[in-house]
Amino acid sequence: MSFLSFFKRYKKFGVFFSVLCIIIISIIYNALNVKKPLPIYQPAMVSEELVDSSIQHQMKYHKIADFSLTNQNGKTITQDTYKDKIYVADFFFTTCQTICPIMTDHMYQIQKEIINDDDVMLLSHSVTPIIDSVAQLKKYAKEKGVIDRKWNLVTGDKKQIYELARKSYLAVKTQGNGDEYDMIHTENFMLIDKKRQIRGFYDGTKPEDIESLLEDIKTLKDES
């Protein structure tokens, strides 16, 4: 049998096999490029120094607790303010001269990216609420370009903020000057989904982490 005869005889099979290979390769490529769902963080998955001892071993059902705090405009901010919202949370204080300015600048960058997205907001909690009065937060907000409808800077009862930080957001350490409910904030940004679950931790001082956070916001929006 000549090569030409062989080719004619098996032409249909060759075309079918080629198409099948293309389909298989496409399926594999798409499977490998599907975005993986973000993890749902539980207290047991986070460094113990950031988690209250009462919940350190909790492995499921963790959510951000109800809260009632006051923002830069003297307005009461509660969990209902963030109902059905994706949001980025952090802890800071206005007189901080170390990592806070970098973190705030990066929050401002996130604000620019989400400015027209009604599903996403920002929430920054003061760890020195006695110093960070409403007037102080308002001054800071003006200096840093905070847009009220997108970003709340909140102050309030120190015990409540401490418990939110340690029992909800899993975000601060307790070492400090020894005062009751004393806390040292970290550079962490937390990504919270519409079900009040933690879906990501990011170093708020690193530009590459901010890029990852913005990508993860897109993943959460696709998920919901």
Side-chain angles (χ1 to χ4, degrees):
M1 183 188 300
S2 67
F3 178 78
L4 185 59
S5 299
F6 177 85
F7 178 77
K8 288 180 178 179
R9 184 174 180 179
Y10 292 98
K11 181 180 178 180
K12 290 184 179 179
F13 174 77
V15 171
F16 170 78
F17 185 74
S18 297
V19 171
L20 182 62
C21 287
I22 291 171
I23 292 172
I24 291 172
I25 291 170
S26 297
I27 291 171
I28 293 172
Y29 177 82
N30 290 329
L32 292 174
N33 283 275
V34 170
K35 286 185 178 179
K36 294 181 180 178
L38 300 178
I40 299 174
Y41 283 90
Q42 306 297 330
M45 300 165 64
V46 179
S47 171
E48 289 187 359
E49 66 179 349
L50 301 175
V51 183
D52 188 84
S53 59
S54 65
I55 60 168
Q56 280 176 357
H57 303 293
Q58 184 178 326
M59 300 183 69
K60 55 185 178 180
Y61 306 132
H62 183 72
K63 292 187 177 182
I64 306 304
D66 291 354
F67 59 89
S68 181
L69 298 165
T70 306
N71 77 353
Q72 65 268 23
N73 297 309
K75 180 182 177 181
T76 299
I77 301 298
T78 73
Q79 67 282 350
D80 289 336
T81 309
Y82 289 83
K83 186 177 180 180
D84 296 325
K85 302 290 185 184
I86 294 167
Y87 69 97
V88 181
D90 75 337
F91 290 81
F92 82 113
F93 58 105
T94 61
T95 55
C96 168
Q97 298 299 316
T98 53
I99 61 175
C100 291
I102 302 171
M103 293 170 65
T104 302
D105 286 347
H106 283 156
M107 274 288 200
Y108 177 77
Q109 289 179 23
I110 297 168
Q111 179 183 245
K112 287 199 297 185
E113 294 294 327
I114 64 166
I115 194 65
N116 295 315
D117 190 335
D118 292 338
D119 282 338
V120 189
M121 294 177 66
L122 308 175
L123 178 60
S124 294
H125 309 73
S126 171
V127 298
T128 59
I130 294 175
I131 297 172
D132 289 333
S133 62
V134 170
Q136 177 71 2
L137 289 181
K138 186 64 177 179
K139 178 184 175 185
Y140 190 81
K142 287 182 177 179
E143 290 172 353
K144 299 300 182 180
V146 171
I147 296 174
D148 293 340
R149 65 183 173 84
K150 299 301 291 184
W151 186 0
N152 289 295
L153 313 181
V154 291
T155 188
D157 177 68
K158 188 171 184 179
K159 179 182 178 182
Q160 182 183 182
I161 294 172
Y162 174 92
E163 291 192 345
L164 280 170
R166 298 278 296 166
K167 294 183 179 181
S168 283
Y169 293 102
L170 319 178
V172 306
K173 302 176 183 179
T174 55
Q175 295 91 342
N177 61 17
D179 291 347
E180 190 175 24
Y181 308 121
D182 194 28
M183 49 190 156
I184 297 177
H185 74 95
T186 65
E187 66 278 2
N188 284 342
F189 286 179
M190 286 67 63
L191 178 60
I192 313 301
D193 68 15
K194 293 182 179 182
K195 297 179 181 179
R196 295 161 66 179
Q197 301 172 126
I198 302 173
R199 303 303 296 272
F201 289 92
Y202 312 84
D203 187 328
T205 66
K206 293 182 177 179
E208 60 269 28
D209 274 35
I210 304 307
E211 290 300 319
S212 295
L213 190 160
L214 290 170
E215 284 299 315
D216 287 350
I217 287 174
K218 293 177 184 177
T219 300
L220 270 190
K221 284 177 65 67
D222 289 341
E223 179 182 297
S224 59

